[in-house]
DNA sequence: TCAAGAGGTAATCGGATGATTACAAGATGG
DNA sequence: CCATCTTGTAATCATCCGATTACCTCTTGA
């Protein structure tokens, strides 16, 4: 989060952001929005929080995407793309000697290291009753289902079990149980049972992702 | 949703709500809030929507609970209580010849007939980063885990599988895939695989629960 | 019968927030 | 070198929404 070139050492921190191509800025905003929406939800997040996380001003966020709603929809479609990308890579990786199911499971855990991706998608899933976001959320979910079935060669039951475990993982992540487990033996038991030997990795992934959002302010 | 005594047949629908004891009104508000928060999420719902769903004025909602936040916390604790209640009843029902696991699974599906209960709790799970709601959400989740383990005699792995399937069901419910499945063969496949012969029951449960919330207005 | 309390609302306020407008400053090409 | 496009901001607007205030109307019991 480096703030352009700090000309003098103090005075005013609020110099204009460094000029970079719009396409590139767009990606930065989408990255920031993915994290902010993932933590706070669509309605709970503000465009100003996204802007600050991206290091630019609030009006720029709105102008680039037209509206907060458009931004969220793009975030959802983008996270859906990325997840499918990772799954497809895992399914195609025939060098890995493990069965496809194990490869995809590992891919899922890898995805979790970036909290925002799973959480922002999950936040979208919770908005089914929204007339604009709902259809996108449903399409995003079914798209993943279809890919696993048609490209992974899984039976519906296998996919259901896989998705179920994924939704549990997402929920545990969203509640923050993965972070507050100090001294709570029960939580550790559940998390160990869910993540197995990958638990440390999950926690490290989170630790490496410092609090981008200071809760509310 | 009967509006007190409709004195004359038209004129003004907005007579003051019927006078009932505060304790009773409280339950009505909590019921309404459970549905509204379940559909729209905490940040996405307004106290006015809750008030209208409960048939009273917005200031009354705020005054009875002190704040929107307090109301949501009460909704979460109440839904947690109800779910535990139903699970405990299922675990204790030794007349039912099925194994405990099957009884609890059936209990879960029964719970779903009231969309609001599962959805409002789920909406709470998504707010782990909120300083007030987060702890309540985590405690609520772990409370269910502990009850299943200590009172149901399950192994952690069984509980994880059960919870995972529950989170998938909640997510499918939240996206609205359970309602939009007309003509989408893939969605029907996934839902059939998830709910089995209970699918019709789930859909009927939803159909019997008419759109309490008109999307946004 | 008439305080006093309980149940309930209308009106309104103030802060938050998405959006708009107008403008500034760096790039770019002819 | 200067017109024009691109990248960006400050200021401000309009609206929504949670909360507060002041008030009204029933009920109750001494």
């Amino acid at each position: 989060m480096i703030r352009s070139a700090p000309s003098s050492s103090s005075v005013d921190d609020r110099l204009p952001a460094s000029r970079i191509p719009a396409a590139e800025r767009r990606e930065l905003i989408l990255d920031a929005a993915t994290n902010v929406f993932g933590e706070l939800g669509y309605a709970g997040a503000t465009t100003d929080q996204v802007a600050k996380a991206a290091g630019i001003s609030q009006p720029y966020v709105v102008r680039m995407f037209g509206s907060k709603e458009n931004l969220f929809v793009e975030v959802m479609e983008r996270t859906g793309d990325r997840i499918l990308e990772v799954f497809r890579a895992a399914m195609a990786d025939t060098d890995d000697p493990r069965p496809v199911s194990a490869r995809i499971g590992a891919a899922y855990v890898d995805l979790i290291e970036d909290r925002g991706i799973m959480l922002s998608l999950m936040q979208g899933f919770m908005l089914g009753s929204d007339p604009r976001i709902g259809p996108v959320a449903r399409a995003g979910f079914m798209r993943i289902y279809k890919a696993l079935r048609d490209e992974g060669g899984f039976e519906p039951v296998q996919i259901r079990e896989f998705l179920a475990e994924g939704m549990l993982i997402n929920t545990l992540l969203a509640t923050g149980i993965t972070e507050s487990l100090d001294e709570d033996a029960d939580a550790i038991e559940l998390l160990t049972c869910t993540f197995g030997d990958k638990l440390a990795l999950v926690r490290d992934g989170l630790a490496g992702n410092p609090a981008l959002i200071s809760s509310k302010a």
Side-chain angles (χ1 to χ4, degrees), chain A residues 54-130:
Chain A
I56 57 171
S57 68
Q58 181 263 345
Y60 198 14
V61 171
V62 173
R63 205 186 48 182
M64 181 162 289
F65 292 91
S67 70
K68 179 186 178 185
E69 195 179 63
N70 285 348
L71 172 59
F72 187 77
V73 167
E74 281 215 35
V75 165
M76 264 202 299
E77 286 171 343
R78 190 160 167 269
T79 55
D81 289 347
R82 295 216 168 161
I83 288 169
L84 271 186
E85 215 172 278
V86 170
F87 283 179
R88 290 201 168 105
M91 291 188 286
D93 183 11
T94 48
D95 288 350
D96 192 322
R98 293 175 295 178
V100 190
S101 59
R103 276 181 273 158
I104 291 213
Y108 199 100
V109 175
D110 286 347
L111 275 170
I112 285 171
E113 287 188 85
D114 180 349
R115 253 181 145 238
I117 291 186
M118 298 312 303
L119 287 188
S120 60
L121 196 64
M122 199 69 184
Q123 297 281 7
F125 290 158
M126 298 306 295
L127 298 176
S129 66
D130 184 283

Side-chain angles (χ1 to χ4, degrees), chain A residues 121 125 135-146 163-164 167:
Chain A
L121 196 64
F125 290 158
V136 179
R138 290 187 282 277
F141 197 102
M142 293 311 302
R143 198 157 60 115
I144 293 174
Y145 177 81
K146 275 181 268 199
L163 290 177
M167 295 307 111

Side-chain angles (χ1 to χ4, degrees), chain A residues 9 56 71 82 95 139 150 153-154 168 171 180 195 204-205 216:
Chain A
S9 60
I56 57 171
L71 172 59
R82 295 216 168 161
D95 288 350
D150 300 338
F154 295 105
L168 172 60
T171 306
S180 74
F195 295 105
D204 287 353
K216 212 51 176 166

Side-chain angles (χ1 to χ4, degrees), chain A residues 117-198:
Chain A
I117 291 186
M118 298 312 303
L119 287 188
S120 60
L121 196 64
M122 199 69 184
Q123 297 281 7
F125 290 158
M126 298 306 295
L127 298 176
S129 66
D130 184 283
R132 173 94 192 278
I133 298 172
V136 179
R138 290 187 282 277
F141 197 102
M142 293 311 302
R143 198 157 60 115
I144 293 174
Y145 177 81
K146 275 181 268 199
L148 290 172
R149 188 194 56 192
D150 300 338
E151 303 172 36
F154 295 105
E155 290 303 308
V157 177
Q158 294 178 284
I159 306 174
R160 192 203 62 205
E161 286 170 1
F162 175 73
L163 290 177
E165 199 155 338
M167 295 307 111
L168 172 60
I169 289 175
N170 292 349
T171 306
L172 290 173
L173 225 58
T175 61
I177 287 177
T178 45
E179 293 168 290
S180 74
L181 47 70
D182 307 290
E183 301 182 23
D184 186 340
D186 300 316
I188 293 175
E189 181 179 278
L190 171 58
L191 290 170
T192 302
C193 174
T194 302
F195 295 105
D197 56 349
K198 295 286 186 64

Side-chain angles (χ1 to χ4, degrees), chain A residues 29 36-37 42 44-54 56-59 61-62 67-69 71:
Chain A
I29 297 175
V36 174
F37 283 135
Y42 170 63
T46 72
T47 54
D48 192 57
Q49 287 171 311
V50 172
K52 280 187 171 44
I56 57 171
S57 68
Q58 181 263 345
V61 171
V62 173
S67 70
K68 179 186 178 185
E69 195 179 63
L71 172 59

